[in-house]
Amino acid sequence: MKSCWFCLIFLFYLINFGNGQSKTKAQNLGEKVQQLMEMNMKRTVLKFNGPRFKEYVKSAPRNYSVIVMFTALAPARSCSICRHANDEFTIVANSFRYPQTYSNKLFFAMVDFDEGSDVFQMLRLNAAPVFMHFPSKGKPKNADTFDIQRVGFAAESIAKWIAERTDIQIRVFRPTNYSGTLAMLMLFILVAGFLYMRRNNLDFLYNKSLWGVCAVFFCFAMVSGQMWNHIRGPPFVHHSHNGISYFHGSSQGQFVLESYIVIVLNAAIVIGMIMMTDAGLRKGDVRMRQIFAIVGLVIVNVFFSIILSIFRSKAHGYPYSFLFK
């Protein structure tokens, strides 16, 4: 009889202890989420040191994911790409704050080496910047570390990686850049002033060659992706651990300098075509016509091969090449 009473008391204790423990965990989780939400209202990218990282990222319970950027922003560290990566990471975090995507299931955080060197040692990180996804359940896997070397750290690439890891779609909204608008306004003022000064001699407006050159340059600008640059606002070049990259590694993106290089290559191809056409139409010295045709042919072959090689490097798997690989 005593053993039965003892079993009942022990069972009652286990039930109450389990309920109390689950209530404590729920309270702790609710407090953690509430604290994160309050910090997130002040900063879109939370700054964590060692203790905060262990409390909000490593310790359980946790029903939210955290995207953490490990960086070294102090000037003494001389990490130039860390600043560029921080700008792109902040753009993604700010874009997440829009009403259609914002929730308490995802937070963005940053750990600077000078404030959380113990975290770098704990995770065995010996480079910066590094982007890691800490899921709501379980430990991070290999895919939870963003591959900067392969795809770069543009905001669009980070947002795509986050969607793959968390199923949360983030539409990137870059800050409005008024430099293009100001440049167009200044150009309009200069053209208007020039036309006003030459108002008594506007015969050049009827020059077909002038309008032809303007049309060709407009086509160069559109084909090279200047409108895409205006919409997406990509970086001028990409800074990585291996140096500066002038060409984006994917056909879904490009850098500003890359579009300028494409303009020059297209212009060279057009010049070569004009030289060959002119050699066939002009009259006079046959030897000069042959020189023009050969030089134009060489220019077209060389620069077309270069632009085709750039296309092959961006469209992976494209099998064709010409002179250069």
Side-chain angles (χ1 to χ4, degrees):
M1 189 69 178
K2 289 183 179 180
S3 60
C4 292
W5 278 105
F6 177 77
C7 291
L8 290 174
I9 293 173
F10 182 71
L11 181 63
F12 179 77
Y13 172 77
L14 286 178
I15 293 173
N16 282 292
F17 179 76
N19 290 336
Q21 197 172 34
S22 61
K23 288 181 180 179
T24 303
K25 287 184 177 181
Q27 289 174 355
N28 292 338
L29 178 60
E31 291 175 358
K32 288 173 64 174
V33 173
Q34 182 64 29
Q35 291 170 1
L36 287 171
M37 292 292 289
E38 291 175 356
M39 290 188 290
N40 204 208
M41 293 300 294
K42 300 177 182 178
R43 297 178 59 95
T44 54
V45 179
L46 309 177
K47 295 186 69 174
F48 285 168
N49 52 18
R52 282 195 170 188
F53 178 82
K54 294 176 182 177
E55 179 182 358
Y56 294 109
V57 180
K58 293 293 291 181
S59 64
R62 193 175 70 249
N63 65 348
Y64 52 85
S65 298
V66 186
I67 307 296
V68 183
M69 176 181 66
F70 300 93
T71 185
L73 294 175
R77 300 297 174 185
S78 301
C79 181
S80 58
I81 66 170
C82 289
R83 299 189 179 278
H84 296 285
N86 180 57
D87 293 339
E88 296 296 311
F89 189 65
T90 303
I91 289 174
V92 179
N94 290 336
S95 301
F96 179 65
R97 292 293 298 272
Y98 281 81
Q100 63 267 28
T101 57
Y102 185 59
S103 68
N104 59 0
K105 299 300 180 182
L106 179 65
F107 295 95
F108 292 82
M110 174 183 69
V111 177
D112 193 276
F113 179 79
D114 292 293
E115 298 178 2
S117 58
D118 54 336
V119 180
F120 278 73
Q121 294 175 1
M122 178 176 59
L123 298 176
R124 298 180 181 178
L125 299 177
N126 54 11
V130 175
F131 298 95
M132 291 186 65
H133 166 240
F134 293 86
S136 57
K137 295 180 181 180
K139 297 181 178 180
K141 303 177 182 178
N142 291 334
D144 288 307
T145 300
F146 185 54
D147 192 353
I148 294 179
Q149 301 291 341
R150 185 174 62 87
V151 298
F153 49 74
E156 291 78 12
S157 301
I158 298 175
K160 181 179 178 181
W161 168 69
I162 293 174
E164 293 172 354
R165 305 312 304 162
T166 65
D167 293 329
I168 297 177
Q169 302 291 333
I170 301 176
R171 182 183 176 187
V172 176
F173 294 90
R174 290 186 175 273
T176 304
N177 187 359
Y178 295 101
S179 59
T181 304
L182 292 175
M184 289 297 295
L185 181 61
M186 292 298 296
L187 179 62
F188 177 78
I189 293 174
L190 290 174
V191 172
F194 177 76
L195 293 176
Y196 179 77
M197 297 296 293
R198 297 285 303 271
R199 61 185 181 276
N200 296 325
N201 186 14
L202 298 178
D203 294 337
F204 68 93
L205 292 177
Y206 301 96
N207 191 323
K208 294 181 179 179
S209 298
L210 174 64
W211 289 108
V213 170
C214 293
V216 169
F217 274 102
F218 177 79
C219 292
F220 286 161
M222 293 298 104
V223 171
S224 66
Q226 292 300 313
M227 187 57 65
W228 190 93
N229 290 344
H230 181 72
I231 295 172
R232 293 291 187 89
F236 188 76
V237 294
H238 171 56
H239 299 268
S240 65
H241 296 290
N242 298 325
I244 301 176
S245 299
Y246 302 103
F247 299 96
H248 197 281
S250 170
S251 60
Q252 302 300 316
Q254 69 175 12
F255 304 128
V256 175
L257 182 60
E258 178 182 340
S259 63
Y260 295 155
I261 294 174
V262 171
I263 288 178
V264 174
L265 295 176
N266 283 326
I269 294 172
V270 170
I271 290 173
M273 294 295 295
I274 292 174
M275 292 180 68
M276 288 191 294
T277 304
D278 188 61
L281 295 178
R282 72 161 51 191
K283 298 179 181 180
D285 189 2
V286 176
R287 185 172 180 78
M288 187 60 66
R289 292 170 59 188
Q290 291 177 346
I291 293 175
F292 264 74
I294 294 174
V295 171
L297 181 62
V298 171
I299 291 176
V300 170
N301 289 339
V302 170
F303 288 97
F304 180 77
S305 178
I306 293 175
I307 203 169
L308 187 61
S309 299
I310 294 174
F311 180 77
R312 291 184 72 224
S313 67
K314 296 173 68 66
H316 303 286
Y318 185 76
Y320 303 108
S321 63
F322 192 47
L323 296 178
F324 305 104
K325 295 183 179 180

